[in-house]
Amino acid sequence: MSGMDRDWGVKSGGGGVASDIQAKVDRRERLRQLALQTVDLMKDPYFMKNHLGSYECKLCLTLHNNEGNYLAHTQGKRHQQNLARRAAKEALNNPTLPQANSRTVKARKTVKIGRPGYRVTKQLDPETQQRSLLFEVDYPEIEESLQPRHRFMSAFEQRVEPPDKEWQYLLVAAEPYETVAFKIPNTEIDKAHGKFHSAWNDETKTFTVQLYFKAGGEGPHGRPLMRPPPPPPPPEAAPATATQLRERGEAGVVFVSCSCRGRVVDVSGSRWRRAAQRT
């Protein structure tokens, strides 16, 4: 018996040479174990295990005896075609809307060299009686080929002072200087042509911003926004007498109401003197 066992060409207890069918089964099992390590079937929306212990594909409505058989099915032509049909149907029913740009801009890490010098000038338009502010910020060491930028900030955006709705801030920034903020009244700014402008002078390295507040606005705490007092009215001349009117050669008939015999009399001639003597 021992000699017959050795006719297979293997050692005693080592088993016989695997047939082609056994090799294919072993290969499929190894591929199944490898796929299970790389693919999580629990995240597959079409994978389902029924009450009989077998597996189903909800997309293709097929039954599978084990997980490896289902994984092989997912790589087949039928499953891939059904996936393409489902994607086309969803795209038709739910058209894609334009998505916002989700790219984030990384903040630059620049060593700040301090605050820039600035000048603030208050002005008054003599024609419209509008108050204006002129901001001049100097950037002598600004980075090459760079211009300052400005924007308005609400009092509720900043974290330096307690928020107050009566004020707003004008921010001016340029590298490598620190950002400066000017606290101005929270009044509507006139954006009409010629009322709001900004300019950068590359020769003097000065950034200029001029703004006008709309006339009739209110300043902080409900007070009128720096409205100048109205000019005093011109002095009224005293009424001319009848004698002065005669001397100037103007119409000297002036009728006044008096109690002289209950009638209106002419005070420009001798009748007024005679009537006054009678009374």
Side-chain angles (χ1 to χ4, degrees):
M1 284 299 287
S2 61
M4 294 177 63
D5 294 335
R6 295 178 182 274
D7 290 344
W8 292 93
V10 294
K11 293 184 179 179
S12 177
V17 178
S19 64
D20 292 342
I21 296 176
Q22 292 174 337
K24 292 179 180 179
V25 171
D26 182 67
R27 178 174 176 272
R28 284 197 298 267
E29 180 64 20
R30 286 187 287 107
L31 291 177
R32 185 182 73 85
Q33 295 294 339
L34 182 62
L36 290 177
Q37 294 177 1
T38 57
V39 179
D40 188 3
L41 291 177
M42 294 298 103
K43 295 181 179 179
D44 190 342
Y46 307 114
F47 176 76
M48 184 184 68
K49 185 176 182 179
N50 58 19
H51 64 287
L52 300 177
S54 59
Y55 304 98
E56 297 183 12
C57 176
K58 295 189 291 184
L59 179 63
C60 305
L61 302 179
T62 56
L63 289 175
H64 306 278
N65 296 328
N66 50 49
E67 297 174 348
N69 194 314
Y70 175 80
L71 288 174
H73 163 73
T74 58
Q75 303 300 322
K77 180 179 179 180
R78 179 179 180 182
H79 189 81
Q80 296 297 327
Q81 288 179 349
N82 290 336
L83 286 176
R85 292 194 189 100
R86 175 63 62 88
K89 184 178 180 180
E90 292 180 352
L92 182 62
N93 296 336
N94 301 321
T96 57
L97 299 176
Q99 300 294 330
N101 190 1
S102 59
R103 293 184 302 174
T104 57
V105 180
K106 296 183 178 180
R108 297 181 57 185
K109 296 181 179 180
T110 308
V111 179
K112 304 297 183 180
I113 62 175
R115 299 178 182 176
Y118 59 88
R119 294 177 299 277
V120 181
T121 306
K122 299 179 181 180
Q123 299 175 340
L124 174 65
D125 191 338
E127 297 180 357
T128 61
Q129 297 299 316
Q130 287 181 274
R131 297 289 178 172
S132 69
L133 294 174
L134 175 64
F135 302 93
E136 298 174 289
V137 188
D138 298 327
Y139 293 102
E141 299 182 14
I142 190 173
E143 292 185 3
E144 190 175 356
S145 69
L146 185 66
Q147 293 187 8
R149 295 291 183 267
H150 72 281
R151 81 176 186 92
F152 291 94
M153 174 186 286
S154 170
F156 298 93
E157 296 182 59
Q158 52 88 28
R159 296 293 181 268
V160 179
E161 298 180 352
D164 188 354
K165 65 179 181 179
E166 303 293 342
W167 302 95
Q168 61 180 332
Y169 298 85
L170 172 63
L171 274 63
V172 183
E175 299 292 346
Y177 292 88
E178 296 180 2
T179 302
V180 292
F182 300 97
K183 187 175 181 180
I184 61 178
N186 190 15
T187 306
E188 186 177 1
I189 296 175
D190 193 352
K191 296 295 183 66
H193 178 69
K195 295 295 184 180
F196 181 85
H197 68 273
S198 61
W200 165 248
N201 192 330
D202 197 17
E203 296 181 357
T204 60
K205 304 296 182 181
T206 303
F207 183 67
T208 305
V209 178
Q210 186 171 19
L211 57 89
Y212 283 79
F213 296 102
K214 283 195 173 182
E218 291 185 352
H221 309 292
R223 296 191 297 266
L225 182 61
M226 300 181 293
R227 180 175 292 278
E236 296 182 357
T241 62
T243 306
Q244 294 175 347
L245 292 174
R246 285 198 308 270
E247 292 177 354
R248 291 196 298 230
E250 300 179 1
V253 180
V254 180
F255 294 95
V256 297
S257 177
C258 65
S259 58
C260 180
R261 297 185 180 180
R263 58 188 177 89
V264 177
V265 297
D266 182 7
V267 298
S268 61
S270 58
R271 293 180 54 190
W272 166 254
R273 291 194 295 270
R274 292 196 297 269
Q277 292 176 1
R278 295 194 190 100
T279 58

